Amino acid sequence: MEIATKYDPSEVEDKWYQYWMENGFFHSEPDEREPYTIVIPPPNVTGVLHMGHMLNNTIQDILIRRARMLGKNACWVPGTDHASIATEAKVVAKLAQEGIKKIDLTREQFLTHAWDWTHKHGGLILEQLKKLGASCDWERTCFTMDEKRSESVIKVFVDLYNKGLIYRGVRMVNWDPAAKTALSDEEVIHKEQNGKLYYLRYKIAGENGYAVIATTRPETIFGDTAVCINPNDPRNAHLKGKKVIVPIANREVPIIEDEYVDLEFGTGCLKVTPAHDVNDYMLGEKYNLEILDIFNDDGTLNQYGLQYEGKDRFAVRKQIEKDLEAAGLMEKVEAYENKVGFSERTNVPIEPKLSMQWFLKMSDLAKPALEAVENDTIRFFPPKYKNTYRHWMENIRDWNISRQLWWGHRIPAYYLPQGGLVVAETKEEAYKKALSIVNYQLSIEDLRQDEDSLDTWFSSWLWPISVFDGVNDPHNQEIDYYYPTNDLVTGPDIIFFWVARMIMSGYELREKPCFHNVYFTGIVRDKQGRKMSKSLGNSPEPLDLIAKYGADGVRMGLMLSAPAGNDILFDETLCEQGRNFNNKIWNAFRLVKGWEVAAIPQPESSAIAIRWFEAQLSKTIESINDLFDKYRISETLMEVYKLFWDEFSSWYLEMIKPGYQQPVDRKTYEATLGFFDALLRLLHPFMPFITEELWQALETRKEGESIMVVTMPVSQRRDKACLVSTTEQLLLGMEETKEIISNIRTIRLQKNIPGKEPLSLQVLGEYKADYNSVIAKMANLSSIEKVREKAPGAVSFLVKTTELAIPVGNAINIEEELAKLETDLHYQRGFLKSVLGKLSNENFVSKAPAPVIEAERKKQADAESKIKSLEESIAALK
């Protein structure tokens, strides 16, 4: 195979991805091997690839590729989520551009548009993941609203309803006025907002006085049905048993007393608006207050808002402030900072609203799911997220699972004409049920299905089970083989939305954990620590990065900055580092393959280098395996990176490289190709494209062969204590050898001695000569000899306790060297004088912290040592 002068990812990546696809390397079927399963966190069908997806899917691909090479039957199931709120919003916006309003369409007409949009735009993100090298089993691609997944969702709803776990009731919910749907608590993001605190005057009925009430939401006064005071508050004792008049609304409402009122907040008077505040609703229930819902579904005021009817809530807030001022009913206004709930999807402030909704009881479902994480049946990486998980699970509330949307799984509840309802998987089944419970004439057309759809998460919580059709067919071959899955890679921001709920569904439906390990990625931020977003302009386009640096370069750049659970400070220079590493691998391969091979004896230095690198390779493999077991994937990459760049390229290849225009012996050449093969296999999960290209070029391959499906290299010293001891000695000896070579190279640099000029090495003291051939070659030495005294003018250095010296008499210009040493000596004496001046200053010594004084004393000792060494060197040259 002809190897190009430079590595060009664009010529390699599409070629090999197509090859992998054509040969079915990504596809898995149950067999006798150990399964290894990952299910992709399904991206929204509306989504396009962003840096978070890149990180998450790079990690998944690393894990799945490694599992294949460990001989496991690796199955990575891809798919997309129907994303009810986001998708419906996109379809509504698209229709609006065409002059069509959703309100003018039937449900069926709207869903036709939604499916058309999904077929046109959906799945784009999965195609983009192929550019990254994601080795998903694309034949298994699922969609949360495809036929099998939809059947699964409806089946589970009916099952949980029949168990009494799903119920319907009026509750205070989080209402999104933009999406016009209820949200679960987890879909609400609380943000600090700079607002105002308005002090309103409520006239006391039949008197001249006022009760002053502080509120952040003056527009809700039309829903006030009481004013509450704390019975223990002397400031408001005069209001007991009285009524006040709501400003502008001019309605009389009673003063009620309850210790719920915070004595420290505001004036101690609380306006009670049961329809629009969770705590007010509880007071309303307790004191049987009237409930006035003053908002339309879009956040405008309804008829209860009087002259403000039809106006947006925030427009009313601005206007009512002016109107209250004009009416003399505003005591004062203060700046106020408080937390406001925003819709995670539409980013508008949510509105607490009473609404008839469907709920799933969570307390019993949560118990086994909490226990599984607490006892490490399911392990979290990093473990710190166990605390977050525990807090939420111990304070869990029932899940509002209904959404006022058309795009999604329609709730399978059917209402009867004379009241009541039945729940069934199909309308036909519902009709049969209905006939068994009513005593009047009933046709199937009389049944009216609930208009609401299920929360998107109600389908994705079943994902590890439903992708193998384990709901519809609980004992099919695939669910029994692939489930529980092995690893889940996801972000901590959806630990409640998705991770916790999947764990609950696993125990409820299959009495097993749905996965064994959860790896939490961090949030990808820019190098200034800001979250990446299009509005800030700090989020690079992933496909542009791939085009610029190659997929392997980008994957490496991401992983170098991605410790588990910690935020990733992404810097494009890391992708450049990844590209440079690609070039390093490529150039090293071209170097080795460019050597002429001859039937000549193997040099001793090469034999030593091979034994050393075998030991180094085994030790690194053990370290890599240990790091993978701990899910320290970023550190694993660094281990392989250092093994290739530092040990293999910078040291091993230099040790065995033949002289200029000289051949290499066959034994060394074949060993080197073997090392290259092992290194490519270790690198493959991280950098799949370049490793495939070079592995194919290592030797002649047959059609259908791939590095993807060869075995990962193993340590050659496993479970052999004596072998481990021997290799550790070998590694230690080579580290000392490398230190000697580095010191000699430094002397050459300092003394301007050309690399081609041979030097001699003198050894004083204990020394093993085992590595002399390597030192002689790498440092270009003519001799290595043990001596009792070093030669006059020799430059010495220490390695551990052994002194070594390089005689440099004829190799340097004595006058130039003396001048340089005298200049350095003058500087060191001046530096020592300044340090001694500080230490003799009583004021400094008495006031400076102990570590500062200690640092100055160390400077003194270092300077004195350097001065002594310089004086000796000058004396030797004279």
Side-chain angles (χ1 to χ4, degrees):
M1 209 174 144
E2 188 75 22
I3 290 294
T5 308
K6 291 184 177 179
Y7 177 57
D8 184 353
S10 64
E11 293 182 2
V12 168
E13 293 172 358
D14 288 344
K15 173 182 75 175
W16 289 119
Y17 202 88
Q18 187 64 30
Y19 177 78
W20 295 331
M21 292 279 284
E22 287 171 356
N23 284 278
F25 293 134
F26 302 162
H27 185 57
S28 171
E29 292 288 342
D31 60 24
E32 72 287 346
R33 290 175 294 167
E34 177 189 346
Y36 176 85
T37 317
I38 294 180
V39 293
I40 200 171
N44 287 355
V45 73
T46 59
V48 291
L49 200 63
H50 58 59
M51 296 305 290
H53 293 130
M54 294 275 281
L55 171 66
N56 186 294
N57 287 281
T58 294
I59 293 167
Q60 290 177 82
D61 197 47
I62 290 167
L63 293 172
I64 209 80
R65 286 180 182 273
R66 182 169 186 269
R68 280 193 200 97
M69 296 177 76
L70 291 174
K72 297 176 184 177
N73 189 352
C75 179
W76 183 12
V77 183
T80 51
D81 191 293
H82 64 279
S84 52
I85 295 176
T87 304
E88 182 147 329
K90 296 248 184 193
V91 175
V92 168
K94 179 234 178 203
L95 291 172
Q97 290 174 354
E98 298 169 8
I100 303 170
K101 293 181 179 177
K102 178 186 172 186
I103 198 169
D104 295 330
L105 299 175
T106 65
R107 187 184 193 113
E108 287 68 31
Q109 289 170 331
F110 178 81
L111 288 176
T112 299
H113 286 287
W115 276 111
D116 287 346
W117 190 94
T118 300
H119 291 316
K120 184 176 180 181
H121 298 282
L124 170 65
I125 191 168
L126 299 184
E127 290 303 310
Q128 292 174 324
L129 283 178
K130 293 177 182 178
K131 292 288 183 187
L132 184 66
S135 58
C136 301
D137 187 346
W138 299 111
E139 295 174 46
R140 294 181 174 275
T141 302
C142 297
F143 176 47
T144 51
M145 271 182 64
D146 64 25
E147 187 176 350
K148 283 187 177 178
R149 264 46 65 183
S150 295
E151 287 175 8
S152 301
V153 169
I154 300 305
K155 195 179 214 48
V156 168
F157 181 97
V158 173
D159 176 56
L160 295 175
Y161 178 83
N162 291 336
K163 289 177 178 176
L165 292 173
I166 288 178
Y167 65 93
R168 185 170 181 258
V170 175
R171 295 288 187 279
M172 183 69 71
V173 298
N174 305 299
W175 188 262
D176 181 337
K180 297 180 187 173
T181 183
L183 304 174
S184 68
D185 292 340
E186 292 71 44
E187 292 168 297
V188 178
I189 309 297
H190 289 89
K191 303 179 187 179
E192 289 286 353
Q193 297 291 297
N194 293 316
K196 295 177 180 179
L197 191 60
Y198 305 85
Y199 288 79
L200 313 184
R201 292 173 177 162
Y202 285 58
K203 189 175 185 307
I204 303 170
E207 296 182 19
N208 292 325
Y210 293 92
V212 179
I213 297 171
T215 180
T216 57
R217 305 195 60 201
E219 70 277 11
T220 62
I221 58 176
F222 302 105
D224 291 357
T225 54
V227 168
C228 190
I229 61 171
N230 191 310
N232 304 314
D233 187 351
R235 294 174 297 172
N236 295 310
H238 65 289
L239 296 174
K240 292 183 179 183
K242 295 180 181 178
K243 292 186 176 183
V244 292
I245 300 169
V246 179
I248 299 181
N250 291 320
R251 269 188 301 104
E252 282 193 7
V253 297
I255 298 287
I256 61 172
E257 300 172 44
D258 196 285
E259 291 184 350
Y260 164 75
V261 177
D262 185 355
L263 293 170
E264 303 299 319
F265 179 78
T267 62
C269 291
L270 175 77
K271 63 190 283 297
V272 183
T273 317
H276 300 292
D277 182 275
V278 174
N279 297 312
D280 290 8
Y281 176 68
M282 291 165 66
L283 285 171
E285 291 272 281
K286 187 173 179 180
Y287 294 99
N288 198 27
L289 299 176
E290 185 181 5
I291 295 173
L292 299 178
D293 186 345
I294 66 167
F295 289 119
N296 296 313
D297 286 351
D298 62 357
T300 59
L301 271 69
N302 59 24
Q303 71 276 13
Y304 289 118
L306 304 178
Q307 66 265 39
Y308 305 99
E309 182 180 0
K311 294 182 179 177
D312 181 75
R313 53 192 170 146
F314 296 115
V316 173
R317 184 179 299 180
K318 287 182 181 177
Q319 185 59 47
I320 211 167
E321 180 181 359
K322 297 174 185 175
D323 295 346
L324 287 164
E325 290 273 11
L329 296 173
M330 182 75 76
E331 180 87 6
K332 62 177 177 176
V333 179
E334 294 177 344
Y336 188 68
E337 189 178 275
N338 66 329
K339 281 194 171 182
V340 177
F342 281 73
S343 166
E344 185 213 24
R345 295 292 181 193
T346 62
N347 199 34
V348 300
I350 61 101
E351 196 62 59
K353 181 181 172 71
L354 280 174
S355 180
M356 179 66 79
Q357 301 287 337
W358 290 89
F359 294 87
L360 174 60
K361 295 177 183 176
M362 301 296 278
S363 57
D364 289 343
L365 294 177
K367 288 172 186 172
L370 175 58
E371 186 181 338
V373 173
E374 290 284 80
N375 64 23
D376 286 338
T377 299
I378 296 172
R379 298 187 300 164
F380 281 4
F381 296 92
K384 66 181 181 181
Y385 287 110
K386 285 174 72 171
N387 295 329
T388 311
Y389 179 85
R390 182 190 309 113
H391 177 75
W392 188 72
M393 295 293 274
E394 288 177 347
N395 296 279
I396 200 163
R397 296 170 63 183
D398 288 355
W399 176 10
N400 173 7
I401 57 173
S402 49
R403 297 290 178 272
Q404 289 62 56
L405 301 165
W406 282 349
W407 176 247
H409 301 99
R410 192 172 180 180
I411 289 175
Y414 299 84
Y415 298 97
L416 307 175
Q418 294 184 22
L421 61 84
V422 289
V423 170
E425 291 178 39
T426 65
K427 193 170 187 177
E428 290 70 28
E429 288 180 32
Y431 180 55
K432 287 180 186 176
K433 275 190 175 183
L435 288 176
S436 69
I437 61 172
V438 301
N439 55 5
Y440 52 86
Q441 282 290 103
L442 184 71
S443 72
I444 195 167
E445 286 75 25
D446 292 331
L447 298 182
R448 179 179 59 83
Q449 188 173 356
D450 196 301
E451 290 289 323
D452 289 355
S453 291
L454 286 160
D455 179 9
T456 299
W457 297 103
F458 195 84
S459 52
S460 48
W461 81 317
L462 306 174
W463 190 246
I465 302 171
S466 66
V467 294
F468 299 113
D469 203 23
V471 175
N472 300 317
D473 187 0
H475 299 294
N476 75 72
Q477 182 190 18
E478 294 209 331
I479 191 73
D480 287 343
Y481 179 74
Y482 291 115
Y483 186 93
T485 67
N486 293 75
D487 296 327
L488 176 74
V489 180
T490 189
D493 52 328
I494 55 173
I495 191 170
F496 311 132
F497 286 128
W498 195 45
V499 179
R501 289 170 178 166
M502 280 192 291
I503 296 172
M504 286 186 261
S505 76
Y507 280 100
E508 174 62 21
L509 300 180
R510 298 197 67 80
E511 299 180 351
K512 286 182 182 177
C514 46
F515 31 70
H516 296 301
N517 307 292
V518 183
Y519 179 101
F520 290 107
T521 65
I523 295 169
V524 184
R525 300 183 181 276
D526 66 14
K527 56 187 176 183
Q528 296 174 44
R530 300 175 302 174
K531 191 171 181 178
M532 287 189 169
S533 71
K534 287 186 179 177
S535 60
L536 285 174
N538 64 346
S539 182
E541 173 57 51
L543 295 184
D544 290 347
L545 288 176
I546 290 174
K548 187 174 180 180
Y549 299 106
D552 290 336
V554 176
R555 287 166 68 116
M556 185 173 173
L558 278 165
M559 291 312 301
L560 285 174
S561 57
N566 294 330
D567 286 355
I568 290 90
L569 298 182
F570 179 76
D571 187 342
E572 200 170 311
T573 56
L574 290 168
C575 295
E576 193 175 342
Q577 186 179 344
R579 182 180 62 189
N580 293 344
F581 187 45
N582 274 308
N583 293 335
K584 183 79 171 178
I585 298 166
W586 191 263
N587 291 335
F589 186 83
R590 289 185 67 247
L591 172 73
V592 172
K593 292 294 275 189
W595 289 338
E596 180 191 344
V597 184
I600 56 175
Q602 184 184 53
E604 184 189 351
S605 57
S606 295
I608 293 169
I610 290 167
R611 287 201 306 276
W612 162 69
F613 195 76
E614 280 174 347
Q616 186 65 60
L617 180 63
S618 286
K619 185 177 182 181
T620 304
I621 289 169
E622 290 166 19
S623 176
I624 286 168
N625 291 339
D626 180 60
L627 289 168
F628 262 117
D629 288 344
K630 294 170 181 171
Y631 291 81
R632 286 157 61 177
I633 302 172
S634 181
E635 292 173 55
T636 307
L637 173 58
M638 279 307 300
E639 284 283 315
V640 192
Y641 175 84
K642 287 188 287 187
L643 177 66
F644 191 97
W645 192 295
D646 297 342
E647 309 298 355
F648 184 72
S649 294
S650 299
W651 286 104
Y652 173 77
L653 289 182
E654 293 299 314
M655 290 177 196
I656 57 107
K657 187 165 69 176
Y660 181 65
Q661 292 188 335
Q662 297 297 309
V664 67
D665 69 279
R666 181 162 296 282
K667 195 173 181 182
T668 298
Y669 181 71
E670 288 178 355
T672 304
L673 290 187
F675 291 148
F676 223 113
D677 178 82
L679 288 165
L680 290 175
R681 284 183 281 155
L682 288 174
L683 282 164
H684 178 73
F686 301 95
M687 307 172 80
F689 293 108
I690 191 172
T691 51
E692 183 73 81
E693 176 79 1
L694 295 180
W695 186 84
Q696 294 283 348
L698 262 177
E699 59 183 74
T700 305
R701 306 290 183 192
K702 297 173 187 172
E703 179 62 31
E705 285 189 296
S706 171
I707 192 172
M708 270 187 66
V709 288
V710 297
T711 307
M712 193 62 78
V714 295
S715 170
Q716 297 304 307
R717 60 178 200 170
R718 292 172 303 164
D719 304 322
K720 297 175 183 175
C722 60
L723 189 55
V724 171
S725 173
T726 303
T727 55
E728 287 297 339
Q729 289 172 15
L730 181 59
L731 292 171
L732 187 62
M734 187 56 80
E735 286 308 304
E736 291 177 11
T737 299
K738 284 152 72 174
E739 195 176 342
I740 292 168
I741 294 164
S742 296
N743 273 291
I744 297 170
R745 287 174 173 174
T746 300
I747 291 168
R748 282 187 184 274
L749 194 65
Q750 290 173 342
K751 309 299 181 187
N752 295 316
I753 303 170
K756 62 184 179 182
E757 186 171 326
L759 297 172
S760 61
L761 177 67
Q762 298 178 336
V763 183
L764 296 86
E766 289 298 315
Y767 173 75
K768 281 188 176 180
D770 300 4
Y771 303 92
N772 278 2
S773 59
V774 174
I775 297 169
K777 178 179 181 179
M778 296 283 282
N780 190 15
L781 300 179
S782 56
S783 65
I784 301 173
E785 57 181 342
K786 288 196 75 171
V787 296
R788 291 187 176 180
E789 288 185 12
K790 60 188 175 186
V795 181
S796 65
F797 57 91
L798 284 174
V799 173
K800 289 199 171 176
T801 57
T802 302
E803 185 180 7
L804 301 101
I806 298 287
V808 293
N810 298 327
I812 62 170
N813 183 315
I814 293 177
E815 285 186 11
E816 285 182 7
E817 185 63 21
L818 274 170
K820 194 164 82 172
L821 291 171
E822 293 281 7
T823 301
D824 196 5
L825 180 61
H826 179 72
Y827 168 79
Q828 292 294 340
R829 283 172 173 166
F831 178 73
L832 178 61
K833 186 178 178 182
S834 70
V835 172
L836 291 172
K838 272 188 184 180
L839 290 172
S840 62
N841 184 330
E842 288 184 18
N843 194 34
F844 170 77
V845 174
S846 63
K847 292 181 178 179
V852 173
I853 296 169
E854 186 59 36
E856 291 299 318
R857 285 184 176 141
K858 186 177 185 307
K859 288 177 188 176
Q860 176 190 350
D862 289 346
E864 288 170 345
S865 174
K866 285 176 184 175
I867 288 168
K868 183 182 178 186
S869 175
L870 287 165
E871 287 173 340
E872 287 178 356
S873 297
I874 290 168
L877 287 172
K878 286 180 176 178

